[in-house]
Amino acid sequence: MGGRRVRVSFATIPRIYAHGSAPHSQSMQIEKVKLGTLSCLQGNEFDVDGELDLPANLEFNHVKRRIEITWDKKNQNPFGFEGYLLEEIGMKTSYSLYMRYKGIWDVISVYADGPNYVLRISCKQAPSIVVHQISPLFYSIDEDSRVFSPKLSQEQDEDKDQFSQFFKKFSEHLTVLLFIPRQQTNDPMKSLAKVLKEYRLEMKEDTHSWNLVHCEQSLNSYTLSKLPVDIEFQIESLRSCRFLLRRDLSKFYDKVSQDLCKNSESQVTAALQGMWSPGHMHYYYADPYTAFDENLRIAQTTVEIPGLVNRLVPIKRVVITPLCVYCIGPMLEESNRVLRMFPGEENKFLRVSFSSEGLDQINGLHQDPNGPLVQRIKDVLDKGLKIGRIRYHFLAFSSSQLRENDCWFVSEEKSVEEIHTKLGSFQDIKIVGKHAARIGQCFSTTQNSIEIPPQNRKIIPDIFDNQGRLFTDGVGQISVEAATRVAEKMKLNSVPSVFQIRYGGFKGTLAVNPKLVDKDIALRKSMDKFPCDHMDLEICSYTKPLCAFLNRQIIMLLNGLGVPDEVFLDMQKTFLKYLEKMMVNSAAAQRILGLYGGQYRFVKKLLEAEIPVEEPFVQAQLAMLRECAVKDLRRKAKLPVEHGRLLMGVVDETQTLEYGQVFIQISKSSPYEWGFLRGENERVITDPVMVAKNPCLHPGDCRRLNAVDVTELHHLVDCIVFPSKGKRPHPNECSGSDLDGDLYFATWDPRFLIPKNADPSDYSAPVPMIGTGEQSSVSVADIKEFFVNFMITESLGRIANAHVRQRNQK
């Protein structure tokens, strides 16, 4: 940083201020501000991430206990961060940088540099920039500019101008250098040191001479050599998540290029992946070269185990926030039809997520549908993403991804239109949402099973009533022999009763029918969504024992329909007791693990093999389960229901069940499950049941039905069979559902039986959006617009929150 070093000592200054007598604030002018990080390993360098090279006002606000730096600047980017601060439109604008006293380290270093004092303030909590502007704000974002890890929120200022404020939080461990002109008289440093001691902040002389280093911005700014695409993505992943600082990027890139000549691409890629840790984002490597060498040695000695489950494929992920782009992965995810069409080319696909800066779902877009956040999403969808030297373009999304604000991108090497054409014929579908859903049908996560040629299938009619109501919406049949072959191909221990499938352009469920012998499967017209020649039967899911859980929505509905509060409070107390008891009792642990299954299935197997519950690994897993269960209980009111199941819905093909009746037969999921006789593995429910389908917000979504025993349906296990006649299909009464794979909450606990069914809601479909392209054909641009509009208008979360708020007021 240069300049003659002058000793500034505050050790002998007497403490003259008592608590409460210090001034409210102290202000002074500063010449410039520099933000960045320190590196003692790099010759005492200060890596400049951003700078403000113009006069500003520095205020130590002792009332609000924060340091405030305020400046005015017109029509320029205050810190030179490309795409990070808001575009001005000529109105009155001011900026402030806030650092709370409790968010900085206890020592503020100071030294003299020529005509200036330099204050060095190191942050342990993220400071924030506040933009005050009278007019509405607009900002531009460049996907390649990710200097910091900001966080965006909005609130209204209480000043008379009613300025809107956008807080942009920088990453932690940031260091700020303040250049303050030295004065011949009334030196502000001495008086400032006196007051800061009252707030446990000490000023002392800095013993380092920091050299300012300005670095390149991103991997995209380099003239790239022929590095493989996967390695480029890993370097960009480390940089975007701030494991790798920009000052190290050039040398690190050269080191990776050199090591690639001595090692295989897979080893170098694995070494870079080893440097990425999801639990330590924004904690950069002080010495990334040594860290890379250590991970490379591990990768060189690692043996690849063949035979990885074929339904899992490595997928790159990109998270788009209002101000950042994070590259993550690749991570193992379940495959789909599109990925199987391009074997070995999974690295050309990206799964892109749009989220808030806290990596949560974006909310509030409906308040400003033409605002900067919506424009940010549109820009990414229209222009694509450039990572390294490859640009990726929007491809499609599945129905579940649409609800999660996720979508698929594909490399520019492949044509989006050609992929859509290869998937099937969609040109006759003129409704944009339906067109997008049909393409997204091919992106559902599935496992490939057996091939069924056209001659081994048949089309059977749907079942309607006299008023045209459909009772078989999305459900077909599969023969016992074909179901057995599917189970063998999937290596299942038993043959499921129902499969949720994708087959060509068909989607829905196939229930086992012992009377179907001439064909493998029987499909219905309601399952046919678009023409397609794909003949592999793909399995999305299948029936198995699934525990039923109460949630906040079901609890509120049941409580409003007459179930007393004490029922739920008693359930909560019992559940918490079991969570504590499972830490010391193997039977209680197996009972709880049987409810959850999933990732805890291995622990359950250990306990069944008489491994003691005190074993450290088992204890760690049980403690993790207990922590997750308590968190879900607090946030979602998630309570397991022992006398209940989560069941896939099908229809009564025998037309035996009457309106108001269902058939439920469950299998045993745990040796300690209540309600089964000794040696009994299956049980038919013959009690009144309460049935619901999540999400449920209307009182009519909870239905009281009668479970009866029908001998002709005993081949169906772990599913709920609805009648094929009556005044209205029961699935449609439950939140407007159907039978294409929806899971229904069912409980026969008498405490949850409502005295009377409320009238169900009307779930008629809204007016669809028609394509705007040539001859009303749906274009990729229409699908992008639909994706953005869904994010803007999606209101289920707001309705649920309003429902909770209204119930809490009562």
Side-chain angles (χ1 to χ4, degrees), residues 712-728:
E712 293 83 355
L713 299 177
H714 277 199
H715 59 281
L716 297 174
V717 184
D718 292 325
C719 60
I720 179 170
V721 185
F722 292 103
S724 55
K725 52 187 174 181
K727 61 182 182 180
R728 180 174 171 180

Side-chain angles (χ1 to χ4, degrees), residues 1-3 5-6 38-46 109-113 118 120 177 204-211:
M1 192 172 289
R5 297 181 58 80
V6 179
L38 303 177
S39 175
C40 297
L41 299 178
Q42 302 287 338
N44 297 333
E45 292 180 350
F46 181 83
S109 301
V110 59
Y111 66 91
D113 178 28
V118 180
R120 178 171 62 83
L177 297 185
K204 70 176 184 179
E205 182 184 4
D206 198 343
T207 58
H208 289 86
S209 177
W210 300 99
N211 301 316

Side-chain angles (χ1 to χ4, degrees), residues 422-654:
K422 191 174 182 179
L423 295 179
S425 178
F426 307 100
Q427 64 269 18
D428 294 334
I429 306 175
K430 306 299 183 181
I431 301 174
V432 178
K434 184 177 293 186
H435 187 107
R438 299 302 170 247
I439 295 177
Q441 187 174 314
C442 303
F443 289 86
S444 300
T445 56
T446 56
Q447 184 175 352
N448 212 17
S449 63
I450 62 176
E451 180 179 345
I452 299 181
Q455 61 270 21
N456 288 352
R457 73 186 188 203
K458 67 177 181 179
I459 305 298
I460 58 177
D462 282 295
I463 300 177
F464 295 88
D465 65 1
N466 296 331
Q467 299 182 9
R469 285 185 288 257
L470 178 61
F471 285 83
T472 56
D473 189 6
V475 60
Q477 305 172 12
I478 185 172
S479 67
V480 175
E481 189 271 335
T484 304
R485 285 191 286 134
V486 171
E488 291 175 352
K489 182 65 178 291
M490 298 177 63
K491 299 180 180 179
L492 303 178
N493 296 327
S494 60
V495 179
S497 298
V498 185
F499 298 91
Q500 185 185 19
I501 61 98
R502 301 289 186 268
Y503 174 72
F506 291 83
K507 65 168 291 192
T509 56
L510 296 179
V512 173
N513 186 356
K515 297 181 180 180
L516 181 63
V517 293
D518 56 333
K519 302 290 184 180
D520 287 335
I521 58 176
L523 306 170
R524 287 189 164 95
K525 182 63 177 178
S526 60
M527 303 173 65
D528 190 6
K529 306 303 180 181
F530 62 91
C532 180
D533 297 331
H534 194 266
M535 294 185 295
D536 289 340
L537 185 65
E538 301 168 329
I539 308 301
C540 299
S541 63
Y542 50 88
T543 52
K544 51 185 175 290
L546 295 175
C547 177
F549 287 90
L550 292 174
N551 57 29
R552 198 181 303 275
Q553 295 177 6
I554 296 179
I555 290 175
M556 287 191 301
L557 288 181
L558 293 180
N559 185 243
L561 292 171
V563 179
D565 298 344
E566 290 74 20
V567 172
F568 306 106
L569 295 176
D570 291 342
M571 283 188 63
Q572 178 176 287
K573 292 178 182 178
T574 303
F575 181 54
L576 291 175
K577 289 180 180 179
Y578 259 100
L579 289 179
E580 295 301 324
K581 187 178 180 181
M582 75 173 183
M583 303 300 297
V584 295
N585 185 279
S586 179
Q590 292 186 54
R591 191 169 184 175
I592 295 294
L593 291 169
L595 298 177
Y596 283 86
Q599 67 185 81
Y600 303 103
R601 188 179 295 113
F602 177 68
V603 184
K604 181 168 170 283
K605 294 292 184 182
L606 292 178
L607 294 177
E608 291 175 355
E610 299 183 356
I611 300 296
V613 72
E614 294 81 8
E615 201 276 333
F617 173 77
V618 174
Q619 280 286 302
Q621 294 295 309
L622 294 178
M624 182 172 64
L625 170 59
R626 180 179 59 182
E627 180 180 355
C628 294
V630 173
K631 184 182 298 184
D632 287 340
L633 180 61
R634 184 173 62 250
R635 294 181 177 178
K636 305 176 183 179
K638 186 176 180 180
L639 282 170
V641 180
E642 283 194 307
H643 311 289
R645 286 291 178 85
L646 198 60
L647 303 168
M648 191 177 295
V650 293
V651 74
D652 174 23
E653 301 282 359
T654 67

Side-chain angles (χ1 to χ4, degrees), residues 167-206:
F167 287 77
K168 292 180 40 184
K169 290 196 172 182
F170 294 102
S171 62
E172 299 177 0
H173 314 299
L174 185 72
T175 298
V176 182
L177 297 185
L178 305 177
F179 293 77
I180 305 173
R182 298 173 60 188
Q183 301 178 10
Q184 300 299 325
T185 59
N186 298 326
D187 193 334
M189 295 295 103
K190 293 184 179 181
S191 60
L192 179 62
K194 299 176 185 178
V195 180
L196 290 182
K197 284 187 177 181
E198 298 295 322
Y199 301 94
R200 294 186 175 88
L201 294 177
E202 179 184 0
M203 295 184 65
K204 70 176 184 179
E205 182 184 4
D206 198 343

Side-chain angles (χ1 to χ4, degrees), residues 12-32:
T12 59
I13 297 178
R15 184 174 179 176
I16 60 175
Y17 293 113
H19 284 288
S21 61
H24 295 309
S25 64
Q26 292 174 276
S27 302
M28 59 192 74
Q29 288 295 117
I30 54 179
E31 290 293 332
K32 52 186 175 181

